[in-house]
Amino acid sequence: TFNFGTIQVGQSVTSGALSISNTASGASGYVEDLNAQFGAVNANSGTGTAGIVGNGSISGLRAGSTNNSSMTVTVTGTAAGTIVSGIGVDFITAGTVNGVSDGLGTASVGSATYGIDGSIGGTVINQADPVINNPTIDLGNVRIGSASPTGSVSVTNQATSSPQAALDASISGTAPISGSGSFSLLAPGSTDSSSLRVGMSTATAGAVSGTATVALVSDASNVGGCGSSCKLTLPSQSVTVSGAVYRLASPTLNTSSVTIAARVGDASPAAAVSVTNASPDAYTEGLAASMGSAPNGWTSSGNISNLAAGGTDASSLRVSLDTANAGTVNGSQTVNFTSNGLVDNATPESLGSQSVQLNGSVYTPAVEQVNTTTVDFGVVHVGQSVGPQTVSVTNGAQSTALNDVLTGSLTGSSGPFTASGTLGSGLGAGQGSGSDLSVALDTGTAGVYSDTAEFSGASHDSQLSDLQLATVGIGMSAQVNNYADAAFALDSGSGSLSRSGSDYLLNFGDITQGSGVSSLLSLLNSVTGPADNLEGSFALGALTDVSLSGTNWSGSFSGLGAGQSLGGLGIDVNSALVGNFNDTITLDGMGYYGGATYNPYVDNITLTLEGDVVNSVPSSVPEPGSLALFVMGGMMLAAMATRRRRRLQSNSGRD
C-alpha cells in the first residue's frame, strides 16, 4: 500500500519510484531477465475521485538485480473525498538472459497491486478559491518627491464545500507600481484586507498607472497530511493601480516694473501685476500669490489663491500710487509665492518671492493765470504802423519736486486783429510768457472794431496726457480813424474851383470892369467816418482885389467831423480896376480826436483867387484922338504894373 496523503482537486502528486527486484535464482547464465509494466487501475472504493497514472516500465532486469527508479505513479485529484484504489504491476519473464534471447519468448510471471489505502488517509480536498475584492485601486494625487501613497488589496478565500484548502498570497509590482506584503493560511470564507499593499513612484510628475501581481497558493496545510505537496500554485491575479503626481507650482512674474504718473490730487492710479503658473502640463499644483509690504508712497492689494497650471492672472494683484504730494516715488514691491497643495492635499510650500520695481511720478499741475484779459489799441489811423500788443500769461503754480509746464496758444482772431503765438515747450512754475503771445492790428481800413481772442492752455508733462485748462477770452478793441482832410467846395456864384494836391485855385476868368462878381465857398472835412475832427484858422494875408464876407473867415473853428462842412465863406471881387489879379488865402488846419491832435497829418492848403478884370468899350463911343489914346494907355499900364507888384508880393509872402 501507499498513502498519498492529502491532495487537492486539480493537484497531481507523483509517488517515489517503485523498487522492483528480479529475485529468481539458478545456475549462472540460466536465469531469464525480468520485464515489468503497469497494468489496469483498480476501481476506487472511496468517496473521492482521482486519476491514477502509471509512469515508466522496466526491461531486461538481470537476475538478482533491483530497479528503484524507472516506475512511478501519479495521482491527480478531481473531486473531494477519500481515495481507495490501486494500479496493477505486471511482471514478465523477458526470454532473454543477460540481454541475450534464449529463444523461449516472453511469459507472464505474475502481478502485484500498487495500492492506495483509503484507510490510511489518502484524501482529495477542494482548492482555495481566491477572489480580489478591489482589482482597481486609485492612489489619488500626491506631490512629487513625497512618500509613496499605499493602498490595501482585499483578498477573500471564498468558501466552497469542505474540506477546502487555505490560501497563501504575496504581491509584487512593476515600476512605477510597487507591491509588498503576504499572508498565509487564509481560511475558507475569510478575507484579508491589510496584508497586501500597493504603492507608486512619486519621482516624476504626471499620470501614473500600472499593475501589481498577486501570487496565489492553495495551501492544504490547514487540513494536514500533505507532506511536501501541501501547496498548489494557483493562477496569479492582477490589480490595476493608478494615481497622479503633481509638481510644485512654477511662478513667473511677468511684470518686472510698473511706471505710473499722476497729478497731485488725482484719484490714485493703479496698475496690475501679472503672474503666470508656468508649467508644461496640468500635473502642477495651483499657485498662490500675495503682496508684501508696499514701499512709501504706494499701496498694494489683492491676492491669488489657486492659479491653475499654465494660467495667467493679470488683474488680481495691484499697486496704487499715492497722489498727495508731488515728486518721484520709486521702490520695490515684493510678491510672495506659494504652491498651494490643494490638488494633492499637501501642505502649502513656499516658493520664495520676486520683486516688481515701482517707478512713480506725481506732478503739480500748471495753474493758468491770464494776466491780460483785454487788448485796446485805442485810436489809430489808417495806414499807421502799429506794433503788436503782448498778452501776458503766467504759470501760477508753486514750484515743487515735479511740476507740469503750462503750454497753450492764442487763437481766434478775425477782422483787422491777428492773435497768435504759443508758449512753445511751456512755462515752468512761476514763469511768464514774455512776448510769446501777441495781438496785431491791421490799419488798412477805418472802422471801430472789437473781437475776442482765446487762450487755450494745458497742463503738460512728459508722462501724462495733457490736462486741458479753461479757455480764457481776451477782448480786443481798436478804432482806426481816417485822417481829417480839409477841402474847399464851391457852393454858388462865379468862378471855377480846381485842386492840385493841397493847392486850390478859384479862377474867376475874365471879369468886366465894374461888374459885381462873387462866390460862396464851404470848407469840408472830406472823409468818411470814423475819422479825426478838423479844426483850424484862415491866414487871410493882404487881400486887395477881393473882399470876404461871412463870419467864418475870421477866428478859428473846430469840431468839423467827417463829412461835415463849414459854410458861408463869401468872396467878392473888386472889379473897379482893369487887370489880372491873384490873391491867396491859407488854411492852417489840424486833425484831432478825443483830446489828441494830429497836426502833422493835415496839410496846410492854399486857396488862390485869380481872375482878369477887363474893360468893356461900348461900340457907340466915338474914337478918341491921339492925345487921349496916349493918356488912357499910360493909365492902363500903370494899373497893370500895380496889380503885378501886388501879385508878386503876395506870391513872395506865400512862398
Side-chain angles (χ1 to χ4, degrees):
T1 61
F2 186 85
N3 183 6
F4 280 87
T6 301
I7 64 174
Q8 301 178 51
V9 172
Q11 183 180 24
S12 296
V13 179
T14 300
S15 68
L18 278 65
S19 179
I20 296 177
S21 300
N22 185 351
T23 60
S25 62
S28 175
Y30 292 95
V31 179
E32 289 187 328
D33 300 332
L34 177 66
N35 294 341
Q37 61 185 27
F38 284 108
V41 177
N42 297 333
N44 178 30
S45 60
T47 58
T49 303
I52 301 174
V53 177
N55 309 304
S57 63
I58 297 173
S59 177
L61 181 63
R62 305 297 191 264
S65 298
T66 298
N67 185 311
N68 57 6
S69 62
S70 297
M71 298 179 70
T72 60
V73 175
T74 298
V75 176
T76 301
T78 56
T82 60
I83 302 172
V84 182
S85 183
I87 184 171
V89 179
D90 297 328
F91 301 112
I92 301 165
T93 185
T96 62
V97 177
N98 296 326
V100 179
S101 173
D102 58 7
L104 298 178
T106 61
S108 173
V109 289
S111 63
T113 299
Y114 181 80
I116 298 173
D117 185 354
S119 62
I120 297 176
T123 305
V124 178
I125 67 174
N126 289 312
Q127 298 177 7
D129 187 9
V131 61
I132 296 178
N133 301 312
N134 54 339
T136 300
I137 296 177
D138 185 355
L139 295 178
N141 301 333
V142 294
R143 177 178 283 167
I144 192 169
S146 63
S148 172
T150 59
S152 296
V153 180
S154 175
V155 180
T156 297
N157 184 3
Q158 298 182 104
T160 58
S161 58
S162 182
Q164 180 180 347
L167 180 65
D168 299 343
S170 62
I171 191 167
S172 62
T174 301
I177 303 303
S178 62
S180 63
S182 63
F183 61 79
S184 299
L185 297 176
L186 180 63
S190 298
T191 296
D192 188 307
S193 297
S194 61
S195 298
L196 306 183
R197 299 190 69 78
V198 291
M200 67 180 185
S201 171
T202 64
T204 304
V208 179
S209 64
T211 58
T213 300
V214 180
L216 300 167
V217 175
S218 183
D219 190 347
S221 298
N222 63 324
V223 176
C226 48
S228 61
S229 302
C230 285
K231 296 186 178 183
L232 173 63
T233 299
L234 301 177
S236 62
Q237 297 186 38
S238 296
V239 177
T240 299
V241 181
S242 62
V245 178
Y246 285 80
R247 64 177 63 80
L248 294 174
S250 178
T252 295
L253 183 61
N254 304 316
T255 306
S256 60
S257 64
V258 169
T259 298
I260 297 179
R263 293 185 172 93
V264 173
D266 284 353
S268 293
V273 175
S274 174
V275 172
T276 296
N277 186 356
S279 171
D281 54 45
Y283 293 97
T284 303
E285 291 183 357
L287 177 65
S290 61
M291 305 293 269
S293 298
N296 290 336
W298 293 83
T299 301
S300 59
S301 62
N303 63 79
I304 299 171
S305 60
N306 189 21
L307 182 59
T312 295
D313 188 316
S315 61
S316 296
L317 305 180
R318 301 181 70 80
V319 290
S320 301
L321 177 64
D322 183 1
T323 63
N325 300 299
T328 299
V329 188
N330 297 335
S332 181
Q333 173 65 58
T334 299
V335 183
N336 302 313
F337 295 106
T338 302
S339 191
N340 64 19
L342 294 177
V343 70
D344 46 26
N345 295 315
T347 301
E349 183 168 330
S350 172
L351 301 176
S353 61
Q354 299 180 40
S355 295
V356 179
Q357 177 62 37
L358 304 182
N359 304 307
S361 299
V362 181
Y363 292 85
T364 296
V367 175
E368 177 186 75
Q369 182 176 311
V370 178
N371 307 312
T372 304
T373 57
T374 60
V375 174
D376 186 0
F377 286 90
V379 178
V380 295
H381 293 89
V382 172
Q384 180 180 349
S385 177
V386 178
Q389 291 198 26
T390 299
V391 174
S392 172
V393 173
T394 301
N395 181 353
Q398 291 185 346
S399 179
T400 59
L402 285 178
N403 280 84
D404 278 4
V405 296
L406 177 64
T407 60
S409 60
L410 186 63
T411 59
S413 57
S414 63
F417 300 108
T418 300
S420 62
T422 72
L423 298 181
S425 59
L427 303 178
Q431 291 182 336
S433 60
S435 60
D436 292 337
L437 310 175
S438 62
V439 177
L441 176 67
D442 180 0
T443 61
T445 304
V448 177
Y449 301 103
S450 64
D451 203 345
T452 301
E454 290 183 343
F455 175 75
S456 300
S459 187
H460 170 80
D461 59 64
S462 61
Q463 293 183 274
L464 295 166
S465 298
D466 285 356
L467 175 64
Q468 298 302 318
L469 304 176
T471 298
V472 178
I474 298 171
M476 301 179 293
S477 60
Q479 180 169 323
V480 182
N481 278 3
N482 284 310
Y483 290 111
D485 183 27
F488 284 107
L490 179 60
D491 294 334
S492 62
S494 301
S496 63
L497 184 66
S498 61
R499 180 177 186 177
S500 175
S502 60
D503 293 327
Y504 283 83
L505 174 63
L506 180 58
N507 190 350
F508 289 96
D510 291 337
I511 303 172
T512 302
Q513 183 181 20
S515 63
V517 175
S518 63
S519 296
L520 186 61
L521 302 179
S522 60
L523 178 67
L524 304 176
N525 187 355
S526 61
V527 292
T528 57
D532 293 348
N533 295 324
L534 180 63
E535 65 179 10
S537 61
F538 295 103
L540 302 178
L543 302 178
T544 60
D545 296 307
V546 296
S547 60
L548 303 179
S549 61
T551 59
N552 289 330
W553 286 111
S554 60
S556 61
F557 64 89
S558 63
L560 198 58
Q564 293 180 345
S565 63
L566 179 68
L569 301 177
I571 298 175
D572 298 316
V573 178
N574 181 5
S575 60
L577 299 176
V578 175
N580 180 265
F581 64 89
N582 187 304
D583 287 321
T584 300
I585 298 173
T586 301
L587 171 64
D588 182 9
M590 67 178 65
Y592 72 95
Y593 191 88
T597 58
Y598 307 105
N599 187 48
Y601 307 112
V602 177
D603 291 333
N604 288 342
I605 62 174
T606 60
L607 174 62
T608 300
L609 307 175
E610 184 178 87
D612 192 13
V613 179
V614 297
N615 183 26
S616 177
V617 179
S619 59
S620 60
V621 175
E623 186 174 333
S626 297
L627 180 58
L629 287 174
F630 176 79
V631 173
M632 184 178 296
M635 293 175 63
M636 292 178 63
L637 289 173
M640 291 175 63
T642 300
R643 292 181 183 272
R644 188 176 296 114
R645 282 196 306 272
R646 291 175 179 171
R647 184 171 65 249
L648 290 174
Q649 292 172 353
S650 175
N651 289 336
S652 176
R654 181 157 50 106
D655 291 339

